[in-house]
């Protein structure tokens, strides 16, 4: 299977599944996450990429305990989270946090910035000495590039980039070892995005945080991630070190994804008979490979037999039988 | 500005304000550019720079709070700003049409796809009878490469994927064969593989229909891929304008340089991204002179904050608005 257990594993996902009941069509379930094996190492930035609806956000939410598992297990710092009692889970969760895409909805519009940032400190870590709390809030505000004058304002007074900084200050105040970043820069302008990415890298080094970086933007993923997992319709299809993946993508889906990313260095569009994939038959009920309907390298057997995991390089694994045939 | 007389659209010294309860917002400040027939022109900039407002003013789709202070928008030889609303009704769609960001809201959820196409043909009196309208609509659906157009004809927008919906919106925009298509962030909500397909499709259609495309986007990479000329806007002012090749190869305005240094790329080595420090200024009482002066690393005191820079010609088709040149 797609296992890559290592010494310094922080989080281990084992055969993780999450099915949502579905009322649409004949299907009984939407298999948002369907058998994911993945490990996240201490101190790394693991990128999780894929198109909308592929299950990447659900996967992040599962790790955070925001959804219950349908099947499988999550091991966090050596402890199994599945079936953990709520009180113990709360204890474990102190060490995790999340930053969402849209800072316009993730911050309570009726709370001042100081209340927003200090809330985890008071509610989760149970700190109560006002002076200490304020000092700590200030320290965190400073490390994300905000100053004292911002403390008693409300979220609507800030721009998108500043709000994301507030969300980051709140996320790091309990010094979690692990943060899920769910499209943290998708709503931002490119000049602000660069600032936030650099801030995230700086904080990671300073506080030794592990990130799961969920994104659909391949350029951003290449910039910030050490390793990347590519997800398609609920399954991971390729995992590799960032430089290996971008230099030599092996899975047909990863290749398609990379070929579609526009670039400011190289022109890619050579228009000759633009192909349009129509109603993308996203079919989870295919017995074989789920990418079959869109795959350019498909063969008949792909439709009937599920692909296996193949190891290519040191840390490069791909979930496709075609990808290893020629080499 | 540019020398060729093949221009289909010329925006000249457009100045536009919005009345708001906080005061007058100076949203567009002396913007000039021109679009040549049969080419792609990219209008780039970050959110709030006025690129969409520019597009809306070309079609006179502005809200009542907008006041056009001065300037001209010439389509061929007609001044669009002088047209009456009655004239605009025929003008929109036939001469210039527009595709918006979100097909979910630009298509009617309560009408079948086919009826939405036929409605457009009937409003513009482009069809002789029902059967002709139906034929024309079906033909257009196949031109935007909708598979099984007869089936789609009877369906409602919610039954289609995002990419298909956007192709329907494009089909409606092209029904009356306009000479200029304004595409406002029309691929922003789509997945990257679908975006790629739609851009390629519109590149093809642009040639087929001999039209010009005014492509408004925040994504510089997309402009690089599709356009031949472009302009960069910041806070209601044009910063740099010219051939895409020239601007990407040697960006001159510090803002253009800053933007390009902030775009993460997937080819080549990872280089440290540089953000642009500071914040976009409020357009109510905006900074005087060059509006980028509050964030510009090369700001010259007493010059940049006093005088709006004039356009300087640098290359055959490369112009910059900056006091450094």
């Amino acid at each position: 299977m797609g296992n890559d257990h290592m010494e310094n594993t922080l989080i281990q996902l084992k055969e993780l599944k999450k099915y949502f009941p579905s009322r649409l069509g004949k299907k009984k379930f939407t298999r948002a996450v369907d058998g994911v094996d993945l490990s996240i190492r201490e101190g790394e930035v693991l990128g999780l990429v894929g198109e909308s609806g592929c299950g990447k956000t659900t996967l992040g939410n599962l790790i955070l305990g925001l959804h219950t598992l349908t099947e499988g297990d999550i091991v966090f710092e050596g402890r199994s989270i599945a079936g953990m009692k709520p009180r113990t889970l709360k204890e474990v969760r102190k060490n995790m946090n999340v930053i969402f895409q849209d800072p316009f909805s993730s911050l309570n519009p009726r709370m001042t910035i100081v209340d927003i940032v200090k809330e985890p400190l008071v509610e989760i870590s149970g700190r109560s000495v006002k002076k200490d709390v304020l000092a700590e809030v200030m320290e965190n505000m400073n490390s994300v590039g905000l100053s004292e004058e911002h403390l008693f304002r409300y979220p609507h007074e800030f721009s998108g980039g500043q709000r994301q900084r507030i969300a980051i200050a709140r996320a790091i105040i309990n010094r979690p070892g692990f943060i899920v970043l769910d499209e943290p820069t998708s709503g931002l302008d490119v000049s602000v995005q660069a600032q936030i990415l650099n801030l995230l890298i700086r904080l990671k080094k300073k506080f030794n945080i592990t990130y799961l970086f969920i994104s659909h933007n391949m350029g951003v993923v290449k910039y910030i991630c050490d390793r990347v997992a590519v997800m398609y319709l609920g399954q991971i299809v390729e995992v590799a070190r960032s430089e290996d993946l971008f230099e030599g993508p092996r899975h047909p889906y990863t290749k398609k994804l990379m070929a579609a990313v526009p670039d400011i260095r190289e022109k890619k569009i050579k228009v000759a008979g633009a192909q349009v994939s129509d109603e993308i038959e996203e079919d989870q009920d295919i017995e074989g490979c789920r990418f079959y309907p869109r795959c350019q390298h498909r063969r008949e057997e792909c439709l009937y037999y599920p692909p296996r995991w193949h190891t290519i390089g040191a840390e490069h694994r791909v979930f496709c039988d075609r990808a290893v045939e020629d080499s | 500005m540019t020398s060729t007389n093949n221009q289909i659209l010329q925006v000249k010294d457009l100045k536009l304000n919005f009345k708001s309860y906080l005061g007058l917002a100076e949203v567009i400040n002396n913007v000039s550019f021109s679009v040549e027939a049969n080419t792609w022109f990219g209008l780039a900039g970050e959110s709030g720079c006025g690129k969409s407002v520019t597009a809306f003013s070309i079609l006179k789709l502005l809200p009542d709070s907008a006041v056009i202070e001065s300037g001209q928008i010439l389509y061929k030889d007609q001044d669009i700003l002088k047209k009456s609303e009655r004239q605009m009704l025929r003008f929109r769609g036939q001469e210039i049409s527009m595709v918006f960001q979100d097909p979910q809201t630009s298509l009617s959820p309560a009408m079948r796809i086919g009826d939405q196409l036929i409605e457009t043909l009937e409003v513009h009196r482009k069809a002789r009878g029902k059967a002709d309208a139906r034929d024309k609509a079906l033909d257009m659906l196949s031109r935007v490469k909708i598979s099984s157009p007869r089936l789609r004809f009877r369906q409602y927008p919610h039954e289609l994927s995002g990419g298909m919906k956007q192709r329907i919106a494009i089909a409606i925009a092209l029904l009356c064969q306009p000479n200029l298509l304004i595409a406002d962030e029309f691929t922003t909500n789509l997945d990257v593989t679908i975006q790629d397909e739609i851009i390629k499709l519109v590149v093809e259609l642009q040639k087929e229909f001999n039209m010009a495309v005014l492509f408004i986007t925040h994504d510089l990479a997309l402009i690089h891929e599709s356009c031949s000329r472009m302009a960069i806007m910041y806070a209601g002012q044009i910063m740099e304008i010219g051939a895409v090749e020239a601007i990407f190869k040697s960006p001159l305005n510090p803002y253009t340089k800053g933007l390009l240094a902030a775009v993460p790329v997937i080819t080549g080595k990872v280089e440290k991204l540089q953000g642009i420090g500071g914040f976009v200024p409020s357009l109510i009482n905006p900074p005087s002179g060059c509006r980028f002066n509050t964030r510009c690393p090369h700001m010259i005191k007493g010059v940049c904050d006093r005088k709006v820079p004039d356009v300087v010609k640098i290359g055959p088709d490369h112009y910059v608005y900056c006091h450094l040149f």
Side-chain angles (χ1 to χ4, degrees):
Chain A
M1 284 310 295
N3 235 325
D4 54 355
H5 189 79
M6 298 276 281
E7 281 288 292
N8 53 355
T9 299
L10 179 73
I11 296 172
Q12 176 99 42
L13 311 179
K14 293 179 178 167
E15 276 293 293
L16 206 60
K17 287 181 185 171
K18 176 66 188 176
Y19 293 0
F20 291 105
S22 164
R23 275 161 292 153
L24 286 173
K26 294 162 283 183
K27 283 189 287 181
K28 279 201 178 133
F29 296 104
T30 301
R31 294 181 272 173
V33 174
D34 201 5
V36 167
D37 275 292
L38 197 64
S39 59
I40 306 174
R41 297 170 200 161
E42 213 174 319
E44 79 170 347
V45 182
L46 177 69
L48 186 60
V49 297
E51 291 175 328
S52 49
C54 75
K56 50 193 196 299
T57 294
T58 307
L59 184 60
N61 288 348
L62 282 172
I63 300 175
L64 293 163
L66 297 177
H67 287 311
T68 51
L69 303 176
T70 305
E71 233 176 85
D73 196 10
I74 301 169
V75 181
F76 184 76
E77 290 179 325
R79 294 202 285 176
S80 162
I81 292 185
M84 200 178 254
K85 285 194 186 114
R87 188 173 292 174
T88 349
L89 186 63
K90 197 177 168 187
E91 200 62 33
V92 174
R93 272 211 206 140
K94 275 186 196 174
N95 207 11
M96 318 173 171
N97 218 323
V98 59
I99 293 164
F100 294 105
Q101 171 176 351
D102 182 14
F104 289 78
S105 57
S106 69
L107 303 177
N108 187 337
R110 294 168 57 148
M111 283 166 79
T112 55
I113 304 312
V114 60
D115 288 336
I116 288 172
V117 176
K118 84 175 184 200
E119 197 179 26
L121 203 59
V122 178
E123 298 294 325
I124 297 173
S125 293
R127 300 275 295 279
S128 57
V129 184
K130 270 193 181 161
K131 236 187 195 165
D132 292 2
V133 169
L134 198 64
E136 213 155 312
V137 167
M138 256 338 287
E139 191 200 322
N140 283 281
M141 295 277 283
N142 285 333
S143 48
V144 299
L146 294 168
S147 59
E148 205 161 333
E149 56 171 318
H150 299 123
L151 276 178
F152 299 101
R153 297 198 198 164
Y154 288 90
H156 75 265
E157 298 173 65
F158 294 89
S159 66
Q162 281 174 307
R163 285 191 217 199
Q164 207 56 301
R165 286 174 195 270
I166 296 164
I168 294 170
R170 175 187 163 100
I172 61 166
I173 198 160
N174 276 335
R175 297 286 173 268
F178 174 67
I179 297 181
V180 174
L181 301 161
D182 193 352
E183 305 262 15
T185 61
S186 301
L188 305 176
D189 276 322
V190 50
S191 66
V192 181
Q193 166 174 283
Q195 294 170 11
I196 298 290
L197 290 175
N198 288 337
L199 172 67
L200 288 170
I201 293 170
R202 207 164 60 234
L203 292 173
K204 174 194 120 78
K205 285 183 188 146
K206 189 170 170 191
F207 300 122
N208 191 27
I209 314 172
T210 306
Y211 290 149
L212 175 65
F213 193 93
I214 300 171
S215 181
H216 67 273
N217 186 326
M218 300 297 271
V220 168
V221 164
K222 179 171 182 183
Y223 184 63
I224 197 171
C225 297
D226 303 311
R227 285 197 309 141
V228 181
V230 183
M231 199 165 180
Y232 185 76
L233 277 190
Q235 296 176 329
I236 304 286
V237 295
E238 188 163 3
V239 187
R241 277 203 299 255
S242 185
E243 60 266 31
D244 296 340
L245 191 81
F246 283 90
E247 257 165 46
R250 299 298 287 269
H251 196 281
Y253 175 62
T254 319
K255 285 183 187 171
K256 192 182 167 78
L257 210 55
M258 301 243 185
V261 178
D263 203 68
I264 59 165
R265 287 191 189 155
E266 282 171 26
K267 264 198 183 180
K268 284 190 189 153
I269 292 190
K270 309 127 205 147
V271 184
Q275 287 230 331
V276 176
S277 59
D278 236 14
E279 65 290 29
I280 311 148
E281 305 150 43
E282 291 201 334
D283 192 356
Q284 292 199 316
D285 297 325
I286 291 177
E287 276 174 57
C289 176
R290 289 187 182 174
F291 189 57
Y292 179 84
R294 295 173 71 186
C295 186
Q296 291 181 324
H297 304 278
R298 67 186 181 187
R299 292 213 197 123
E300 210 190 330
E301 59 257 41
C302 297
L303 186 58
Y304 302 106
Y305 303 105
R308 281 159 301 183
W309 277 101
H310 299 279
T311 304
I312 294 163
E315 296 179 45
H316 195 162
R317 294 170 312 113
V318 60
F319 192 51
C320 174
D321 298 335
R322 299 284 86 76
V324 290
E325 264 170 10
D326 310 321
S327 54
Chain B
M1 258 214 40
T2 41
S3 47
T4 45
N5 45 19
N6 198 15
Q7 291 147 354
I8 190 159
L9 182 82
Q10 279 179 280
V11 176
K12 287 184 173 172
D13 296 319
L14 185 68
K15 196 165 161 55
L16 186 153
N17 298 335
F18 272 93
K19 286 180 279 186
S20 83
Y21 67 96
L22 291 171
L24 208 59
E26 298 172 34
V27 173
I28 294 183
N29 195 19
N30 292 328
V31 161
S32 303
F33 64 91
S34 54
V35 181
E36 282 168 42
N38 300 337
T39 60
W40 283 65
F41 186 91
L43 191 55
E46 297 183 288
S47 46
C49 73
K51 54 191 190 305
S52 287
V53 174
T54 307
F56 285 125
S57 57
I58 293 169
L59 281 177
K60 296 232 285 190
L61 291 172
L62 295 163
D64 291 341
S65 56
V67 187
I68 293 176
E69 290 284 310
S70 57
Q72 283 181 309
I73 299 177
L74 299 178
Y75 171 77
K76 292 178 178 168
D77 292 323
Q78 318 154 23
D79 190 343
I80 295 176
L81 297 179
K82 292 210 175 95
K83 283 184 187 290
S84 67
E85 182 54 32
R86 213 185 149 77
Q87 289 171 312
M88 284 308 291
L89 284 177
R90 317 238 46 211
F91 184 79
R92 289 183 203 121
Q94 290 197 28
E95 304 293 337
I96 302 180
S97 50
M98 189 156 176
V99 185
F100 301 89
Q101 176 169 346
D102 186 9
Q104 196 78 48
T105 51
S106 61
L107 296 177
S108 165
M111 272 171 87
R112 292 178 198 276
I113 301 294
D115 293 341
Q116 304 199 31
L117 286 139
I118 288 174
E119 182 190 44
T120 308
L121 287 166
E122 282 176 346
V123 165
H124 290 284
R125 301 193 196 120
K126 289 287 176 190
R128 292 179 301 273
K130 274 256 184 266
D132 184 41
R134 192 183 152 81
D135 288 346
K136 285 200 162 111
L138 280 170
D139 172 59
M140 186 53 73
L141 284 184
S142 49
R143 285 206 191 185
V144 296
K145 306 195 176 176
I146 295 280
S147 68
S148 39
R150 274 165 208 287
L151 166 71
R152 305 299 170 207
F153 213 72
R154 300 173 39 84
Q155 285 185 314
Y156 289 93
H158 77 267
E159 297 176 77
L160 309 181
S161 69
M164 284 179 88
K165 268 185 275 206
Q166 197 56 289
R167 275 185 283 144
I168 303 282
I170 293 167
I172 293 174
L174 298 185
L175 270 175
C176 304
Q177 318 232 335
N179 290 312
L180 174 66
L181 177 71
I182 302 177
D184 186 4
E185 300 270 12
F186 74 127
T187 58
T188 306
N189 283 351
L190 303 172
D191 277 323
V192 61
T193 51
I194 310 295
Q195 162 173 289
D196 187 50
E197 290 171 0
I198 300 256
I199 295 275
K200 284 177 181 162
L201 175 72
V202 177
V203 168
E204 247 184 43
L205 291 169
Q206 178 259 319
K207 293 198 177 108
E208 201 180 316
F209 285 80
N210 281 323
M211 59 180 180
V213 178
L214 174 59
F215 185 15
I216 292 163
T217 181
H218 68 283
D219 192 335
L220 290 167
L222 279 179
I223 287 193
H224 183 235
E225 299 269 4
S226 58
C227 298
S228 51
R229 299 188 74 237
M230 69 184 291
I232 303 249
M233 273 183 91
Y234 176 80
Q237 291 176 333
I238 297 237
M239 296 276 122
E240 193 158 353
I241 187 164
V244 166
E245 309 276 304
I247 291 180
F248 277 88
K249 210 161 142 205
S250 49
L252 296 169
N253 193 299
Y255 178 64
T256 319
K257 282 186 185 167
L259 265 190
L260 286 172
V263 179
V265 292
I266 68 160
T267 48
K269 272 188 85 118
V270 176
E271 280 164 36
K272 188 158 175 25
L273 297 179
Q274 306 290 332
I276 301 174
F279 304 103
V280 178
S282 161
L283 295 178
I284 297 168
N285 298 321
S288 52
C290 172
R291 290 189 177 172
F292 188 56
N293 80 61
T294 51
R295 299 168 78 186
C296 184
H298 306 289
M299 202 269 251
I300 310 165
K301 265 225 159 85
V303 180
C304 295
D305 52 355
R306 292 254 173 88
K307 198 172 159 290
V308 176
D310 288 322
V311 63
V312 183
K313 183 171 177 164
I314 302 290
D317 187 13
H318 194 171
Y319 304 82
V320 63
Y321 292 77
C322 181
H323 288 299
L324 296 173
F325 298 91

